[in-house]
Amino acid sequence: MSGAPPALEVRGITKRFPGVLANDNINLTLRKGQVLGLLGENGAGKSTLMNMIYGLYKPDEGEILVNGAPVEIAGPKDAIGLGIGMVHQHFQLVDVLTVTENVMLGNEAVSGPFLRRDKARREIQALSGEYGLDVDPDALISDLPVGVQQRVEIIKALYRHADILILDEPTAVLTPQETRGLFKIMRALLDKGVSIIFISHKLKEVLEICDDVVVLRRGAVAGQADPRESTEQSLASLMVGRDVILEIDKSAAKPGDEILNVVNLSVRDDRGLPAVEGVSLGLQRGEILGIAGVQGNGQTELVEALTGMRAIDGGRFFIKGSEVTGASPRSVTEMGVGHVPEDRQRDGLVASFTVMHNLVLCSYYREAFSRAIVVDDRAIADNARQLVEQYDVRPPIINNIAGGLSGGNQQKVIVAREFSRDVDLLIASQPTRGLDVGSIEFIHRQILRMRDAGAGILLVSSELDEVLSLADRVAVMFEGEIIDIFDIDDADRDTVGLRMAGVRDETQMVGAS
């Protein structure tokens, strides 16, 4: 295969948007049967580059070659015809349709005027078996966990005969177990001759799965690295252009008065089924309580209940000694609560609003940003310019529409808004999801700053390493219940991991190990 042309080659690609040079003379090569890692900070140009390869944007300069031949990619249909498939960070699936119907969309098998679901179903079963994807063709997308939904996206690409696969932040919403499953699938794809571009902020995973790494910084190639000769620290420094502190250095907590008290709380999910069952916990000022658990065990519903976004089925909770059970989101916010939601696009932003107006969604009516009934756009703009610089939102244009930002930069807008307010209690769900290492380092420092200033922090994260690094106590959630709470000194990774899997006692632990 050494004499074969590259599966994909990008030469001198440049892309400009008004006021922004998104990609600047980029060159990269993806060899056949290779995993090429693509790293870069939020706003470094990774998604723009991939969107040009997939036909969503057209380059201003440069060329793209597939199997050694220059190609014109005017849209995704052209890319698919060239064997290029893309699994987006935010899945492109229709929840109310089955797996088979989603896979067929846009590439329907027909016999005369009739859809051939049976033919597509058989092909999905064959692909699922061949690559170890383990997907039920008849399942509704809405009933599938996020890791299986991602497999459906991969099947969609393979169904269209993709031999070049772009995976954009594929592990951002996966549990460690699901990530291991994805890597097994990727290795099976490589064995069949598929070439993969792997975009991620998780350096440990890049070192494990990639054959080569290209790093972008501010729209240009900052360097190339061999994973066998690299470390997380060296990749982080190449991404950010400076040394990055990957280990969190924190002082011991100094807990104060109780800020949050949850008593026997029960909550139902969107289907009306029990999601949180009899949860009780307390949180004090000046401490971080981390909620660890595999996604889908009630963490989402717990946070939504505590922030007024979901009705409560039973139980009560108190903030600063006052009962707020069933209060509205505005009332909870007025109690001095900050909230970084799990789903940034659905619950954290108004996508059609500008960055500057998203930065005051919780406070636009306050005196600092309004005069009587008139909003003070000058004050809002001044606030936005300060926060955009402080939190490194890219591009730093406060009049940009928030929905047009990359996922990581959307997250920065939300974090900047919530962290800059004077809060007594911060409820942060997946606060660093989709962020680069430099931004994660900054966010972690801000969380510790708030803790040390006397705020109580409820941290919900699917990243066990993040919970263990930041938390002063760790509560493990499984099937809607808190099944154990550890002081951080007693929370070793293996024990917490077993609790996350539902192993509740030492006897079970021996069997599980």
Side-chain angles (χ1 to χ4, degrees), residues 372-384:
I373 61 171
V374 179
V375 171
D376 185 348
D377 274 337
R378 179 175 293 180
I380 291 173
D382 289 342
N383 172 73

Side-chain angles (χ1 to χ4, degrees), residues 404-430:
L405 299 180
S406 68
N409 280 288
Q410 290 178 5
Q411 187 77 358
K412 288 181 185 180
V413 170
I414 297 166
V415 168
R417 180 184 68 225
E418 300 301 314
F419 284 28
S420 62
R421 296 193 297 116
D422 185 15
V423 301
D424 298 306
L425 169 63
L426 174 68
I427 300 176
S429 186
Q430 318 298 341

Side-chain angles (χ1 to χ4, degrees), residues 344-365:
R344 56 180 166 242
Q345 294 188 330
R346 186 186 69 182
D347 302 321
L349 297 167
V350 179
S352 59
F353 282 15
T354 62
V355 168
M356 73 180 218
H357 287 109
N358 270 281
L359 285 166
V360 292
L361 283 181
C362 301
S363 50
Y364 66 89
Y365 55 89

Side-chain angles (χ1 to χ4, degrees), residues 86 96 110 234 433 476 500:
M86 184 168 179
V96 297
V110 295
S234 67
R433 176 174 287 170
V476 181
M500 289 169 61

